[in-house]
Amino acid sequence: MVTLAEGVRLAGAAMGALGGALIAIEFFQIPSYVAYEAEWDSYDIDIAPAEVTEHTALGRVGGLLVSLGFALLFFGELL
């Protein structure tokens, strides 16, 4: 049987691992201001400051999960 403290630490580690994986996926996405032209085999960069999105919901959820994971690990140590 898992004690409460061990369960909280395991849940924190699992959340942190899932959040880290989501952040890693976020790093491999092409930003919204970069477009690939297959005809010319080149990349075009169109930057309009009002339309640029550098982070998607995937990365934000990953960051939230990592921070919650660290909080649960800390709380589990206090228990």
Side-chain angles (χ1 to χ4, degrees):
M1 201 72 183
V2 176
T3 65
L4 179 64
E6 290 173 351
V8 170
R9 284 195 305 260
L10 285 174
M15 283 182 136
L18 179 62
L22 290 176
I23 290 173
I25 292 170
E26 174 78 19
F27 286 144
F28 292 106
Q29 293 184 4
I30 296 177
S32 65
Y33 52 85
V34 176
Y36 178 69
E37 295 287 336
E39 181 179 335
W40 302 101
D41 193 30
S42 67
Y43 289 92
D44 290 334
I45 298 176
D46 297 323
I47 296 178
E51 299 175 4
V52 171
T53 56
E54 293 184 11
H55 305 287
T56 62
L58 196 68
R60 291 182 177 136
V61 169
L64 180 64
L65 285 176
V66 167
S67 64
L68 286 175
F70 277 121
L72 284 177
L73 285 171
F74 180 72
F75 185 66
E77 287 296 322
L78 292 178
L79 292 177

